[in-house]
Structure formats: C-alpha cells, structure tokens
Amino acid sequence: MKQKLLLIAAISLLTALGASAQNFSKITGQIKDNNGKAISAATVMLQSAKDSALVKTAVTNDKGNYELLQVKPGRYFVSTSVMNMKKPDAAVFEVKENQNSVAPEIQLQPMPKSLEAVVVTTRKPIVEVKADKTILNVEGTINAVGNDALELLRKSPGVMVDKDDNLSLAGKNGVQVYIDGKPTPLSGADLASYLKSLQSTQIESIELITNPSAKYEAAGNAGIINIKLKRDKTIGTNGSVNTGYNIGIYGKYNAGLALNHRNKRMNVFGNYNFNSGINEMNIKFYREQGDSIFDQTKNQRILNRNKYGHNYKAGADFFINKKSTVGFLVNGNSSENIAETEGPMDIIYKPTNTVVRILRATGNNESKRDNINANLNYRYAVTGGSELNIDADYGNFKIRSDQFQPNDYYNPSGNVKLFSNVYRMISPTDIDILSFKADYERNFYKGRLGFGAKVGFVNTDNDFKRYNVNGSVEDYDKDKSNRFAYKENINAAFVNYNRAFKGFMIQIGVRVENTVSDGRSTGLQYNSDLSAYVNYDSSIHRNYTDVFPSAAITFNKNPMSQFGITYSRRIDRPAYQDLNPFEFKLNDYTFMKGNTNLRPQYTNSFGFTHTYKYKLNTQLNYSHVKDIFTQLPDTTEGSKSFLTKKNLATQDIISLNISYPYQYKWYSFFVNLNSYYSKYKANFGGGDRNVNLDVFALSFYMQNSFNLGKGFRAELSGFYASPTIWQGTFKSIAMYSIDGGLQKNILKGKGMLKASVSDIFRLMKWKGTSDFTGQLSEASGRWESRQLKLNFSYRFGNAQVKASRQRKTSIEEENKRTQSSGGMGGGGN
C-alpha cells in the first residue's frame, strides 16, 4: 500500500517537473474607459481560445497596464469585468514560443443610464480544493437542506463520524472544531449536541484544514474544521426569512430570520434560527465477558425529543476611516432535549447459553444547554501594507443534565420482577472562557512577516450528584457523587513569514505554547473497612511548553501544473472529562471513568499537493502520531466493564485525496476520493491487551448538478465510506447513501423552494466489533437517515451592489476580518 501511494506521489511530481521545463512567454496589455482614461485595479483573466479554460489572472496598475507571465504558446483571449461597465468583446490572439506578446487593447463602455442597478448572481462549486484547505460550500447545495452540522460533516470529504459521534479527519482523531474562526471548548457528546443544534440554513461553508500554519492554535492533531456561518455583505438594508419541514418517522421543524444594514460608515447585522422535532435511533449491543453474555439486540430504541433549539447572533462593525474598523458581536444558542431509552437486555450464562434474568433499563435524560459568546475587535489595515488585528473574547456554557435510570430485573420469562436498582443523576456543568489576542502583519524583505500573541483561560466546573431512588424517596449517594473542577491557561506566541519568488513561494513559521492546567476531583467515599465515609481529593497539575513549527513551499512556475510541500506539528490535549478519575455508572454493568495519566498526543505531518489545470487536485499526506488517544473497553468484577481513554503507543498514517470538477453546458459534477492507510501499535500487558492493527480505508463523494432551465435545478449525490477502525479498537462496516433534490427560483428570483430526500434507499447504518481484554463486543444501529426535506426562503430589501470605492474597501476589509470577529469564545489564532 505504501509503495502504491509513493508511486502516485512520484508520478505527480514528475508531471509537474516535466511541465515546468517548457519555454514560456510574457503578455502585456492595457485597459481604458471610453474616454481613454486608464482603469486601475481591474481583474484580468487570460482564457484559452480552444475551450475558454482560465489560464492566468492579473490586476491592472494605476496606468491600466497588466502583465501575464509564464504563458505557454497558444491562442488566447483576455476578458475583464469592471462594475458599471459593459463586458468587452474578446479578440483572439496568438502567443508564440519565447516571444513576448501585446494583447489587443480593451476599451470599456459604460452601462446604459437607465440601468440603475445590477444584481450579480454567482454559484460557488460544491467543493473547492485549495493548497491549504478543502471548502464545502453548504450554501449552494440543495441536498444540504434540512441537515444539521453533524450530518453535513458526516458527508464531508475525509471526515468520519463514529458510533459515538466522535470526529476524525483523514483517519486521524483529535479534530479541533472552530466556529467562524474561533475554537470551541466542547468535545465528545457536548460537541455533538452543539453541532446538532446548528442547521444548514445558518451555515455558509465548512473548511477542512489539515496542515494549519503557525498563525492557528496548535490544538487539533488531525487539523481544523472551521464552520463559517452566514453573514450578509450587501449594501443597504436587506434580510431573509426561511422555513423548513423534515419528515422521517417523526416531523421536524426549522425557521429563521436574518437582517442586515450596511452603509459606508457601519454595518449592523443579526439573525435568529429555531428548530424542533423528534429523532429516533434503533441500536443493538452484544457483549461476551467471562462466563456471561449481555444481549441487547431486541427492540432497543432511543427517542430524542428536541423541545426547542434557539440560535442567535447580533453585532455591528464601525468603519472609522479607510484604515480602521471597530466591531462587536454577541452570539449563542439555547436548547432543551429529552432522550428516552428503552429495550431489554438478556443476561445469559455462556456455558449453557441459558437466560438467567432480564434487565430492563428504561431511562430518561433531560438536558438543557445554554451558550453565550461576546467579541470585541479592532482592525487597522493599510492596503498593501501593515495590518493589526486585536480581539477580546468571552464565552459561557451552561449544561444541565437530569437523568432518571431505573434498572428492573425480571425472571427469564420476563413476567416476574425480581428486584430493581433505580438511580437519578443530576449533573450541572459550567464552562467559562476568556481570551485576548493580537496579530500584526507587515511587508518585510520582499515578503510578509506576521507575528502575534494570545492568552486564554478556560474554567470548567462539573458537579455530579447521584441519588438512590426508592419509590418517592431519593437518597443522596455520597460515595457515588463527585465534583470535578478544571482550569487551563494557554499562553502562545507565533511568528510567520511568507514570500513569493520567481516560480515558487515559501511560508515558514513557529508557534510556542505554554500550558498550565489544574484539575481537582473531590467527594466522599467509604474507608477501607467500609465503616465510615472519608473525604478524598484527587488533584492533577501540569505545566509544559511546546514548540510547533510549520512550513510550506509552493512551486507555481507553470500555472497549469502547480505543486507544494507542507509540514506542521500539532497537539491534542485531553478534555476535562477524560481526566476525571471518578467512575460514572451508565447502568449496573457498564461504567465510564477518566484517566489522570492521559497525556497530550502529538502529530508530525508532511504533505504534498498537486493541482493540474486548476481542476485535478491531489493531496498526499503522511503523519506520525505519538501517544494517540483511544477509548478502550476494560473489565472489572468479572462480568462488568468500563470505558476509559488511554494513550496508544503510536499511529502512522498515509492519506491520499483526489478531487476533480467537471462542467459541460447544463450538467456538472464534482468527485472526491479520500483514502488512508494506518497502523496502530500498543502494548498494555501482552496477550489480548495488545493492539497491532493495519487499516486501509477510503471514502468517496460525488455530486451531480443539473441546470434544467426556467429556474429549476436538480442534484444527485452519493456517499461511501469503507470499513475502518473507530477509536483504535472498534472495527466498523461500510456506510453509504444516495441523496436527491430539486430547487426552483420563484417570486422574481427572490424566493426559492427546495425539496430533497436524504438516503433515498435507506442504506445508511453502522456496525462494529471489538475484541480486547477478553471482552467481545458488537454494536450496530441506524437512525432516521431517510427523510423528505422541504424548505422555502425569501430575500427582501436592497440587493444592489454599488460602485462606491469606499464601500467596496469596507466590504473587502470585512472579508478579511470574518474569522476574527465572530464565533465561539476562545480566539482563533
């Protein structure tokens, strides 16, 4: 497998080097208006006369002149687009080998005066693959309608979502999720619940960044997933409304409103989204341990009632002058869910395969989640010169959980109750985040030098209280209750430099992060002779400093065949709940507990990228992960099991990603193939406590789009993920689905109707097995993956883009500021 991947890389490299050995020419030209006055800052596009393919771009200077370098011999034409000017007629000219050419002069004519405004409509490709990231443009796809963020990630190139909703990217765990350029402190089930509260109508795009530069925080071994929320940049006052309905087994509803007002001095914006509905999941569990079998393969059901989900955002940007902008933002979400579980578990004596009793653990978990974030920001920028960004962020999360867990035991026939163990678990969690950061960039030695610093604080307080329930009486169980407080302070500084040379570009940087963390687990427990309760205090303290270098070089001498090489070092720190040593009971036979010895995991990644004719993109990556996290099942008290996270010794992984877009008249498609080979190695005591796994996996995504005319457009998409390994030990089966959708523009283009069906043939399901420490486990399940989804949206207000130079500058500045003025507390860079 390694030889095949290296062969592909070698072929790509030889192709690029061969192409770069050709002889090229230079093209010069000029653009003027109808009065002969030069037009500056106009975008110039050189296109092939054969198929109109884009070859190279340039921008005119103050005299209206432009240069196009490194052009191969052939026939071309030049096109340009300038606001309030008619599109010019293109004249074809020939470029000869080793001879400089002068393109025909372009003289632009003004638009007729009767045309007061122009509304420009563009459609981004479904997926864009760039040198440093892959972008999934959610806003432009029909089949995204009605999905939440977690479902969108499930079908994103290279992203895997396992049975517990944990994320991995290109075969690596330790993904850091950002919202509008800000890292979220949530992980595990808390992160999954938050992502499920974000609807596709709120999301503009999803960025998958596998090798981030030193400007980004070092957290995230697999890289960064940045979810960019929608934000209107249109001049004037405008807004939009949307409403949607999904139906699988149960109905689901969503609606939203967005308002925006922008002029040359300020931009005020806000939006609100609501969702509610019921989701059903059917699951099966089977476990063999010692002389016992625990069989939960009959009628296991989880019903998740989403009573409400509110998401909101409000803010303003004030353009003090052409160089300075001050802004603030407040956003957050609030949700309430009730998860109901039901279904029996047969407890079987393995030697005789006889059912000895039946456990019916019908549980009810009510949870409320509230989050609010605030951001203050300042930006100073000189066009083509220095740039300063300052951000202060605060975030607060309140998570409240009230779980009622009855464990009723019946005789083998299920008609006589033998006894019951009934518990109530109340678990409030509070998370506070405060951060300050400043980044500065300037021209330096014919390149760009950037440096900055950040100070961040995270305080977490989790108070777990368990009660033994006997009828209407609830007794506080002191030795099964726990409080865990965790504080983390990260101080960081970085420097980054990039420069363009003739035929190649370089970027090099280094980031230094100091981490200080303190955790304290407190409560009561019985003494050694079980005669009395005693206080216990388990504390964790860590203080460590790491250096994270990054580098990249891009060879672009031949624009039609560009390639690059990247390197970065990353870290993934343990989440607070993974460090708490307290044992949390899931039922009478399954526990979860943290690991105070869990160490950070580190990754060194090397990447090779190649782009051919701006379309065929190839990415080859090798990563070595030290002390990789994995969730392991272990045994206790003979027939009971517990789940905990440990550090595997190492993981080596090679990944290959290939993507290609194609368009012919009314039909277009995008195809993405992602594959990886991984080797896990660890020794936890020999025998069945060893891990030595070789894994090859691939995923495939294809999007077909059909422009049917008269405002109709259709999509058909397919997704496939091969068998792989979850959490280092769990072997999964393949997952796949096919989605289809149709949309129609109505109400003079201001309204849009979308209808889609996800998982048309109901193929989506999961299943996995694990055999570790003498414990054989099997799990499988499916959810309401097949749904009919309907959505209506309507835009109102001003949709014009005006040619004001100052307003244009403000919009350009805000585009650069998008990642530093929104999202979760904590700071992005």
Side-chain angles (χ1 to χ4, degrees), residues 542-788:
R542 293 177 179 176
N543 188 334
Y544 53 94
T545 301
D546 290 299
V547 178
F548 302 97
S550 65
I553 181 169
T554 302
F555 298 92
N556 57 1
K557 186 175 182 179
N558 177 11
M560 303 302 289
S561 181
Q562 304 183 47
F563 64 94
I565 300 170
T566 63
Y567 165 76
S568 67
R569 183 173 188 256
R570 311 284 296 167
I571 186 176
D572 200 35
R573 301 174 180 88
Y576 76 91
Q577 59 266 46
D578 294 331
L579 295 170
N580 188 0
F582 183 74
E583 291 187 358
F584 297 91
K585 178 178 286 190
L586 301 180
N587 58 42
D588 278 351
Y589 288 88
T590 308
F591 302 81
M592 290 187 70
K593 68 177 184 178
N595 179 6
T596 57
N597 295 318
L598 194 63
R599 302 180 300 274
Q601 61 180 21
Y602 295 89
T603 300
N604 286 281
S605 293
F606 302 85
F608 171 85
T609 62
H610 179 240
T611 302
Y612 181 67
K613 288 189 175 181
Y614 299 98
K615 290 185 177 181
L616 179 62
N617 293 279
T618 304
Q619 297 177 335
L620 180 65
N621 189 277
Y622 166 75
S623 297
H624 175 78
V625 187
K626 179 183 177 183
D627 291 333
I628 182 175
F629 298 154
T630 186
Q631 181 171 285
L632 294 176
D634 215 329
T635 58
T636 181
E637 300 179 31
S639 62
K640 297 181 180 180
S641 71
F642 65 85
L643 301 173
T644 189
K645 280 197 175 179
K646 293 185 178 181
N647 295 102
L648 280 177
T650 60
Q651 180 193 24
D652 290 284
I653 184 166
I654 300 173
S655 64
L656 175 67
N657 183 280
I658 301 173
S659 63
Y660 183 77
Y662 173 80
Q663 182 168 354
Y664 180 76
K665 296 182 179 179
W666 52 269
Y667 170 70
S668 65
F669 76 80
F670 174 86
V671 61
N672 182 278
L673 176 67
N674 189 81
S675 63
Y676 69 87
Y677 166 81
S678 177
K679 187 169 186 66
Y680 297 88
K681 293 184 67 176
N683 186 339
F684 293 113
D688 59 8
R689 302 180 68 84
N690 277 357
V691 177
N692 190 353
L693 293 172
D694 291 277
V695 183
F696 173 76
L698 62 87
S699 62
F700 175 85
Y701 178 80
M702 184 173 183
Q703 177 84 50
N704 300 270
S705 298
F706 310 87
N707 190 347
L708 306 178
K710 296 185 178 181
F712 283 96
R713 192 163 68 90
E715 284 182 3
L716 185 67
S717 59
F719 160 81
Y720 171 82
S722 74
T724 184
I725 299 292
W726 293 337
Q727 297 291 315
T729 63
F730 218 85
K731 299 179 182 179
S732 73
I733 65 170
M735 299 175 66
Y736 38 88
S737 71
I738 297 174
D739 302 342
L742 181 71
Q743 78 174 29
K744 173 72 168 71
N745 289 326
I746 59 175
L747 303 176
K748 298 181 179 180
K750 292 186 176 183
M752 182 173 292
L753 285 171
K754 293 182 180 181
S756 69
V757 178
S758 60
D759 195 12
I760 298 172
F761 303 104
R762 201 168 181 261
L763 303 171
M764 201 72 161
K765 59 184 178 180
W766 59 268
K767 183 179 180 180
T769 60
S770 174
D771 190 356
F772 185 74
T773 65
Q775 180 182 168
L776 173 65
S777 301
E778 294 183 3
S780 61
R782 66 187 323 150
W783 62 99
E784 291 183 68
S785 57
R786 181 166 61 185
Q787 295 182 28
L788 171 65

Side-chain angles (χ1 to χ4, degrees), residues 473-542:
V473 178
E474 297 187 1
D475 294 324
Y476 180 58
D477 192 339
K478 297 179 181 179
D479 67 329
K480 295 299 182 181
S481 299
N482 166 265
R483 186 163 191 166
F484 186 64
Y486 183 75
K487 297 180 179 180
E488 186 176 76
N489 165 223
I490 300 176
N491 306 294
F494 78 91
V495 61
N496 196 69
Y497 178 73
N498 59 75
R499 179 179 173 183
F501 294 87
K502 187 175 182 180
F504 67 97
M505 297 183 294
I506 63 167
Q507 175 269 316
I508 187 169
V510 64
R511 187 179 186 93
V512 179
E513 291 190 352
N514 168 251
T515 304
V516 181
S517 61
D518 287 282
R520 186 182 181 191
S521 182
T522 58
L524 294 173
Q525 63 185 15
Y526 279 115
N527 58 12
S528 58
D529 60 3
L530 303 180
S531 61
Y533 284 111
V534 294
N535 290 310
Y536 74 88
D537 188 332
S538 178
S539 297
I540 308 164
H541 176 75
R542 293 177 179 176

Side-chain angles (χ1 to χ4, degrees), residues 221-495:
N221 274 19
I224 292 170
I225 295 177
N226 182 35
I227 300 174
K228 295 180 67 176
L229 304 180
K230 291 181 181 178
R231 193 168 179 180
D232 202 315
K233 303 179 180 69
T234 310
I235 297 294
T237 301
N238 52 80
S240 65
V241 292
N242 68 83
T243 183
Y245 174 74
N246 302 358
I247 180 67
I249 300 174
Y250 299 96
K252 303 149 186 66
Y253 313 87
N254 62 82
L257 168 69
L259 295 171
N260 186 83
H261 175 76
R262 175 193 288 273
N263 56 35
K264 63 182 180 181
R265 296 183 180 87
M266 65 183 296
N267 179 44
V268 181
F269 55 91
N271 62 55
Y272 166 77
N273 288 271
F274 170 82
N275 64 86
S276 178
I278 301 175
N279 292 278
E280 180 178 292
M281 175 183 287
N282 297 102
I283 59 173
K284 296 180 180 180
F285 290 107
Y286 177 89
R287 178 165 59 90
E288 293 183 8
Q289 184 176 332
D291 62 0
S292 300
I293 296 175
F294 304 91
D295 186 352
Q296 291 178 274
T297 59
K298 302 173 185 175
N299 302 319
Q300 298 292 316
R301 187 177 74 150
I302 299 177
L303 205 62
N304 192 343
R305 301 179 184 273
N306 176 19
K307 295 179 67 175
Y308 62 80
H310 305 285
N311 290 271
Y312 56 89
K313 177 195 288 189
D317 296 312
F318 302 95
F319 311 119
I320 300 172
N321 51 47
K322 291 184 178 181
K323 299 179 181 179
S324 298
T325 304
V326 175
F328 75 88
L329 176 73
V330 176
N331 72 347
N333 76 318
S334 178
S335 64
E336 182 175 352
N337 293 271
I338 301 175
E340 301 172 356
T341 60
E342 61 182 25
M345 179 173 75
D346 292 345
I347 302 172
I348 303 169
Y349 181 57
K350 187 176 178 181
T352 61
N353 197 33
T354 303
V355 176
V356 294
R357 59 182 177 269
I358 298 173
L359 168 62
R360 291 176 180 165
T362 303
N364 184 83
N365 187 2
E366 298 184 15
S367 62
K368 293 183 179 181
R369 301 170 187 272
D370 295 287
N371 159 235
I372 186 169
N373 310 290
N375 169 269
L376 292 174
N377 58 82
Y378 170 76
R379 179 174 186 264
Y380 175 87
V382 178
T383 304
S386 58
E387 180 177 328
L388 172 67
N389 287 282
I390 300 174
D391 281 89
D393 289 276
Y394 172 75
N396 174 262
F397 293 80
K398 292 184 182 296
I399 304 170
R400 301 292 181 263
S401 175
D402 184 350
Q403 182 178 358
F404 182 71
Q405 183 63 62
N407 295 275
D408 298 324
Y409 292 87
Y410 289 80
N411 66 348
S413 299
N415 54 9
V416 178
K417 183 187 289 189
L418 303 176
F419 61 94
S420 296
N421 295 325
V422 184
Y423 314 106
R424 181 180 297 280
M425 284 82 78
I426 298 176
S427 179
T429 299
D430 294 297
I431 304 174
D432 286 291
I433 308 151
L434 183 64
S435 71
F436 304 92
K437 77 177 184 73
D439 299 341
Y440 179 74
E441 281 190 7
R442 56 162 296 174
N443 295 326
F444 179 76
Y445 198 59
K446 299 182 180 180
R448 293 284 289 177
L449 176 67
F451 50 88
K454 178 185 175 182
V455 178
F457 302 89
V458 179
N459 293 334
T460 303
D461 186 8
N462 175 259
D463 190 6
F464 180 83
K465 299 176 182 179
R466 200 183 92 167
Y467 297 84
N468 297 319
V469 181
N470 185 7
S472 60
V473 178
E474 297 187 1
D475 294 324
Y476 180 58
D477 192 339
K478 297 179 181 179
D479 67 329
K480 295 299 182 181
S481 299
N482 166 265
R483 186 163 191 166
F484 186 64
Y486 183 75
K487 297 180 179 180
E488 186 176 76
N489 165 223
I490 300 176
N491 306 294
F494 78 91
V495 61

